[in-house]
């Protein structure tokens, strides 16, 4: 039997890709599974510590979901992995299909604006994805997805204080392969995906690639639009992604890979659902949570393109050398109607641009009693953008002007160097120790232009019909010096930080099937500058997370596996908007400061029980408790963002071998306890809810034809994944008063409704 899951994918849908013969495995070109005895647990390999190891011997909390698992449950985007990993939130953000909101154990980053750094690192083949725009990756030619929970500051560096998500693609087999699949589903879903590879020089040089075109009608529509000739679909999908890889193996010990990828998401901008009636328009609260109104264009785009390269050399059986590099860039013009009415009450057209280059040299040594992962790392990134907060209705009503816009534009650029090493060595035959450390030196420079103009200003000419952007339109400079007053900076603001992040661990093997581990680790999120600064304010220091873990990984027999982790952490120097101007306490102006300290503790349990040769049960449980230790935020911190106190997933998988082929039936129920969308108020609060999903996967006896029928969110639950709140305090009658823009703007964005889709594929 073949089960290819993971600590949590195992703990959630074990036996997902169970096959019952070695012949069937050999006939499945894309299979990543290993030969297993029927009715027994599988052996799972991960690269959580930057080298290949058995999951049961890795002393951290890891979930690894294989390609076969993903296919069998009908997973289509990386956000679906949150169901299989305890205490994990991976959700599509507010305005687009491609922007990621990621939290692990309550640690992450809510605001995707340039300048703010993520708290959960996203990696494709060990290449760091620096921005959340485009990080909702569609699943194409993937080998597995790993979720590493807790700070990963030693081996993965900055911005992994909550953890890391690794998207691992497949190395080529060397044979000619082809895989094509088509999907039809709810809301006129129509997807095609093609992957394949071909040897250019037998056993030496291989070319592979993939292309997917993904389309779906909207879950709702824009009921009103202030502009003519707009596409009025809301929550639709119109995206394509392409990848190419060239691999060269001149000898058994030497490997080269050059890769290219591009994503183009031209789905409409998402409109939010008004949770309160507008005071300024007569449009009612829509009946459908996926319906909206807008005064902005509905176009939106996320463009990403990147190159990556890898050189790997096995000097001998014990020593491996690697060079990993990348060059990536992204561009995202977007329209966010905060108030979601046909009036220009609070509209934000924006553009985001970023590019970054990384280089990493790595030396890995492994012997029976000692292993070492070490390296040098360089990152150079530029993240820029501009947004126009258009308050046109307010400008006309209050000032009698043609409109009103606060324009903010700037860049927040980073250059960093790091050296790291992590060693594991035996103290006795059963007891080992892990010692690791990383030293990072980072410098950031920032420019912010922030000011008011008394008309409606858009990022470029033609953004809305008839608009011509005035030439040389500049707003006052905030960060940096402008000695001659021409609006052009002489020099940007800059600051630098260094950080030493250690890891210490002990691992004790009670027997061949039981490992106990304890560890301390530290991670940091980069220092930065306020991308919305209204004055010349200093940068803020990095956020620091100190984490302690106790865990047990045990296979009780060939049928039962339990992986359990207890954790506790302190989260210091949290970056928030706080009062006090530039930090001197003499004004009420807002500025970005290290204004809070919090702590958390909890437990994660992942259980797999192979009941029979055909039936497997999986359970994944998570619990997080939260404490506020310092709270200088205005408004004050009241809880965790996007983090339920409890998460649970219960799944069953049944395999049936017939004359028609192999059938795998899956069902799972995923529960998320209540949670806040924002940490500073409970205006947007999601009650606890559960999602029921079922699927059936079929594969022909020859292994070339396959199909999947999946139904998700069977009970059609409505649940919040994002929002905006701009309302004033309640009046004497308990009714909300107007907020920014002069209206009661309380907006919700929702997760996917009930969907059903059928995929049919052929491969050789």
């Amino acid at each position: 039997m073949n089960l290819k899951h993971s600590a949590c994918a195992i703990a959630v849908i074990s036996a997902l890709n169970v096959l019952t013969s070695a012949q069937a495995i050999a006939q499945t070109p894309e299979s990543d599974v290993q030969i297993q005895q029927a009715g027994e647990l599988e052996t799972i390999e991960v690269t959580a510590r930057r080298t290949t190891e058995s999951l049961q011997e890795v002393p951290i909390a890891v979930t690894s979901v294989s390609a076969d698992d993903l296919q069998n449950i009908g997973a289509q985007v990386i956000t679906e992995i949150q169901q299989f990993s305890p205490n994990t939130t991976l959700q599509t953000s507010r305005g687009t299909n491609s922007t990621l909101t990621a939290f692990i154990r309550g640690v992450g980053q809510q605001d995707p604006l340039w300048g703010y750094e993520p708290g959960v690192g996203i990696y494709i083949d060990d290449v760091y994805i620096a921005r959340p725009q485009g990080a909702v990756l569609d699943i194409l030619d993937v080998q597995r997805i790993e979720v590493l929970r807790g700070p990963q500051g030693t081996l993965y560096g900055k911005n992994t204080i909550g953890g890391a998500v690794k998207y691992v693609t497949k190395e080529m087999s060397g044979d000619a392969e082809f895989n094509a699949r088509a999907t039809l589903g709810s809301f006129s879903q129509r997807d095609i995906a093609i992957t394949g590879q071909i040897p250019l020089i037998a056993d030496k040089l291989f070319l592979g690639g993939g292309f997917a075109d993904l389309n779906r009608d909207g879950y709702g529509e824009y009921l009103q639009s202030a502009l003519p000739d707009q596409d009025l679909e809301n929550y639709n999908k119109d995206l394509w992604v392409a990848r190419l890889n060239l691999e060269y193996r001149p000898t058994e010990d030497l490997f080269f890979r050059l890769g290219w990828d591009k994503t183009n998401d031209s789905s409409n901008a998402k409109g939010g659902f008004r949770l309160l009636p507008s005071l300024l328009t007569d449009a009612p609260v829509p009946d459908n949570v996926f319906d909206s109104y807008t005064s902005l264009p509905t176009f939106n785009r996320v463009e990403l393109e990147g190159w990556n390269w890898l050189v790997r050399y096995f000097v001998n059986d014990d020593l491996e050398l690697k060079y990993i590099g990348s060059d990536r860039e992204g561009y995202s013009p977007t329209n966010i109607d905060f108030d979601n009415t046909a009036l220009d009450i609070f509209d934000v057209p924006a553009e985001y641009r970023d590019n970054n280059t990384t280089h990493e040299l790595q030396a890995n040594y492994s012997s029976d009693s000692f292993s070492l992962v070490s390296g040098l790392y360089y990152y150079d990134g530029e993240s820029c953008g501009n947004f126009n907060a258009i308050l046109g209705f307010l400008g006309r009503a209050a000032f009698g002007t043609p409109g009103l816009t606060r324009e903010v534009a700037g860049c927040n650029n980073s250059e960093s160097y790091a050296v790291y090493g992590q060693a594991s060595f035996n103290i006795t035959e059963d007891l080992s120790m892990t010692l690791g450390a990383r030293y990072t030196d980072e410098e950031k420079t920032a420019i912010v232009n922030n000011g008011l103009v008394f008309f409606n200003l858009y990022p470029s000419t033609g953004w809305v019909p008839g608009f011509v952007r005035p030439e040389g339109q500049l707003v006052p400079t905030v960060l940096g010096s402008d000695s001659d007053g021409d609006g052009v900076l002489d020099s940007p603001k800059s600051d630098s930080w260094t950080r030493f992040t250690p890891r210490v661990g002990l691992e004790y093997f009670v027997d061949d099937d039981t490992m106990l581990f304890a560890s301390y680790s530290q991670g940091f999120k980069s220092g930065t500058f306020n991308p919305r600064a209204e004055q010349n304010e200093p940068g803020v220091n990095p956020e620091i997370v100190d984490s302690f873990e106790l865990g047990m990984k045990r296979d009780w027999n060939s049928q039962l596996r339990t992986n359990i982790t207890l954790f506790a952490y302190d989260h210091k120097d949290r970056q928030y908007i706080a009062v006090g101007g530039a930090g001197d306490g003499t004004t009420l102006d807002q500025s970005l400061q290290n204004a809070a300290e919090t702590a958390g503790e909890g437990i994660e349990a992942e259980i797999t029980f192979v009941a029979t040769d055909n039936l497997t049960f999986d359970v994944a449980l998570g619990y997080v408790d939260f404490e506020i230790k310092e709270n200088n935020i205005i408004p004050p911190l009241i809880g965790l963002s996007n983090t339920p106190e409890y998460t649970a997933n219960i799944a069953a998988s049944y395999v049936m071998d017939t004359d028609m082929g192999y059938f795998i039936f899956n069902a799972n129920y995923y529960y998320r306890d209540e949670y806040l969308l924002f940490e500073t108020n409970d205006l947007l609060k999601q009650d606890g809810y559960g999602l029921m999903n079922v699927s059936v996967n079929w594969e022909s006896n020859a292994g070339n034809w396959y199909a999947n029928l999946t139904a998700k969110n069977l009970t059609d639950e409505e649940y919040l994944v994002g929002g905006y709140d701009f309302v004033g305090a309640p009046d004497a009658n308990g009714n909300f008063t107007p907020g920014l823009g002069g209206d009661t703007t309380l907006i919700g964005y929702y997760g996917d409704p009930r969907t059903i889709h059928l995929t049919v594929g052929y491969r050789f």
Side-chain angles (χ1 to χ4, degrees), residues 465-761:
F467 174 75
V468 177
R469 185 177 171 92
E471 283 192 35
Q473 179 66 49
L474 293 170
V475 294
T477 296
V478 175
L479 292 186
S481 60
D482 180 15
S483 59
D484 56 9
D486 65 354
V488 179
L489 291 179
D490 302 324
S491 61
K493 195 89 170 180
S494 65
D495 206 341
S496 61
W497 300 272
T498 60
R499 192 72 203 176
F500 177 83
T501 49
R503 180 180 181 87
V504 180
L506 287 173
E507 304 87 40
Y508 180 66
F509 288 87
V510 179
D511 51 45
D512 291 342
D513 298 314
T514 308
M515 179 183 68
L516 305 177
F517 65 91
S519 68
Y520 160 76
S521 61
Q522 187 181 88
F524 78 98
K525 187 171 82 169
S526 295
T528 193
F529 292 91
N530 185 359
R532 297 185 179 89
E534 299 180 30
Q535 59 189 349
N536 194 354
E537 62 183 73
V540 293
N541 290 325
E543 296 186 5
I544 307 298
V545 170
D546 293 291
S547 177
F548 299 86
E549 291 188 3
L550 290 172
M552 178 187 74
K553 295 188 175 184
R554 176 170 173 80
D555 290 351
W556 295 85
N557 49 43
S558 62
Q559 295 175 282
L560 177 63
R561 171 175 293 160
T562 59
N563 292 343
I564 300 172
T565 305
L566 301 171
F567 64 87
Y569 66 82
D570 283 321
H571 189 177
K572 305 182 187 71
D573 290 330
R574 298 187 62 172
Q575 301 162 2
Y576 279 102
I577 295 295
V579 298
D584 58 8
T586 60
T587 72
L588 293 179
D589 295 333
Q590 293 186 340
S591 67
L592 189 65
Q593 297 181 25
N594 298 111
E597 180 181 351
T598 58
E601 60 184 16
I603 185 171
E604 294 157 354
E606 301 167 299
I607 305 166
T608 297
F609 177 53
V610 183
T612 70
D613 288 358
N614 304 97
L615 180 63
T616 300
F617 295 97
D618 299 283
V619 177
L621 303 172
Y623 166 74
V624 177
D625 189 26
F626 174 68
E627 177 188 358
I628 300 172
K629 302 178 75 172
E630 182 180 346
N631 197 1
N632 298 320
I633 304 168
I634 302 295
L637 190 70
I638 65 169
L640 289 173
S641 169
N642 290 279
T643 301
E645 187 175 14
Y646 297 96
T647 60
N649 193 62
I650 303 173
S653 179
Y654 183 78
V655 181
M656 185 168 64
D657 183 5
T658 73
D659 293 339
M660 297 174 56
Y662 299 93
F663 290 86
I664 304 174
F665 299 89
N666 303 286
N668 81 289
Y669 179 78
Y670 173 62
Y671 177 76
R672 286 172 69 85
D673 198 17
E674 65 180 19
Y675 57 89
L676 302 175
L677 270 295
F678 295 98
E679 296 175 299
T680 54
N681 67 66
D682 58 2
L683 297 178
L684 290 171
K685 182 179 180 179
Q686 173 60 50
D687 293 334
Y689 68 92
L691 300 179
M692 185 69 193
N693 310 300
V694 296
S695 67
V696 56
N697 202 73
W698 167 80
E699 185 174 305
S700 67
N701 288 317
N704 50 355
W705 285 98
Y706 61 94
N708 173 276
L709 178 63
T710 296
K712 301 175 183 177
N713 189 6
L714 278 177
T715 57
D716 204 19
E717 293 289 326
E718 294 179 353
Y719 56 98
L720 286 164
V721 297
Y724 295 108
D725 57 294
F726 295 96
V727 295
D731 60 20
N733 297 318
N735 298 317
F736 287 108
T737 55
L740 185 60
D743 201 3
T744 49
T745 296
L746 188 64
I747 307 299
Y749 293 83
Y750 287 79
D752 292 352
R754 178 174 53 238
T755 59
I756 301 173
H757 63 80
L758 172 67
T759 297
V760 177

Side-chain angles (χ1 to χ4, degrees), residues 29-44:
E30 294 197 357
S31 179
D32 182 44
V33 300
Q34 301 175 1
I35 297 175
Q36 301 287 316
Q37 294 296 316
E40 294 186 1
L41 296 164
E42 68 166 325
T43 299
I44 304 165

Side-chain angles (χ1 to χ4, degrees), residues 92 95-99 136 216 235-238 265 267 270:
T92 303
T96 78
N97 285 321
S98 303
T99 302
V136 178
R216 185 196 66 232
Y235 285 81
N236 71 325
K237 189 169 187 177
D238 184 0
D265 182 359
S267 313
K270 281 186 181 178

Side-chain angles (χ1 to χ4, degrees), residues 73-323:
I73 62 171
Q76 297 178 309
V77 292
I78 199 172
T79 52
E80 296 182 61
I81 303 304
Q82 80 165 10
Q83 296 188 28
F84 313 140
S85 181
N87 293 327
T88 298
T89 295
L90 299 172
Q91 293 180 338
T92 303
S93 191
R94 295 165 287 212
T96 78
N97 285 321
S98 303
T99 302
L100 182 68
T101 298
F103 284 79
I104 296 178
R105 297 177 177 174
V107 181
Q109 173 59 41
Q110 173 70 254
D111 196 334
L113 195 65
W114 74 87
Y116 290 121
E117 302 284 1
V120 175
I122 308 296
Y123 293 81
I124 301 178
D125 292 331
D126 284 331
V127 171
Y128 176 54
I129 306 299
R131 304 298 306 148
Q133 286 81 18
V136 178
L137 302 167
D138 288 275
I139 293 168
L140 178 67
D141 209 23
V142 66
Q143 182 179 23
R144 65 181 176 275
I145 297 173
E146 298 177 11
V147 180
L148 287 58
R149 296 185 296 277
Q152 306 297 320
T154 300
L155 293 180
Y156 292 89
K158 63 182 183 179
N159 304 333
T160 58
I161 53 176
V165 179
K166 298 183 60 179
Y167 188 105
V168 182
T169 62
K170 298 178 180 180
E171 289 189 8
M172 294 183 221
S173 66
D175 300 322
E177 294 182 5
F178 175 79
N179 186 358
R181 66 179 188 265
T183 301
L184 295 175
S186 305
F187 301 96
S188 298
Q189 180 184 355
R190 51 213 182 274
D191 301 341
I192 60 169
I194 300 172
T195 60
Q197 57 182 277
I198 186 171
L200 302 178
I201 300 176
D203 301 322
K204 298 289 185 183
L205 183 64
F206 319 102
L207 178 66
F211 175 81
D213 187 67
L214 312 173
N215 294 272
R216 185 196 66 232
D217 292 347
Y219 298 147
E221 62 180 327
Y222 287 98
L223 303 176
Q224 290 182 6
S225 172
L227 300 173
D229 302 323
Q230 295 294 300
D231 182 350
L232 298 181
E233 286 190 278
N234 195 22
Y235 285 81
N236 71 325
K237 189 169 187 177
D238 184 0
L239 179 150
W240 63 262
V241 57
R243 296 195 179 109
L244 284 174
N245 284 306
L246 185 67
E247 295 181 359
Y248 180 47
R249 296 183 175 92
T251 70
E252 291 184 359
D253 299 324
L254 188 59
F255 173 78
F256 298 88
R257 180 173 64 196
L258 176 64
W260 167 85
D261 66 89
K262 185 168 184 176
T263 299
N264 188 309
D265 182 359
S266 55
S267 313
N268 287 352
K270 281 186 181 178
F273 176 73
R274 284 199 63 96
L275 294 161
L276 296 173
S278 169
L279 302 178
L280 303 178
T281 75
D282 58 359
V285 173
D287 295 330
N288 182 356
V289 296
F290 300 107
D291 286 346
S292 190
Y293 311 96
T294 188
S295 57
L296 280 172
T298 59
F299 74 80
N300 184 84
R301 193 160 76 251
V302 177
E303 293 182 349
L304 299 172
E305 187 170 12
W307 292 88
N308 64 87
W309 49 89
L310 167 67
V311 180
R312 185 176 63 216
Y313 177 53
F314 290 99
V315 179
N316 53 46
D317 291 343
D318 298 327
L319 180 61
E320 175 194 48
L321 302 179
K322 283 184 183 179
Y323 166 43

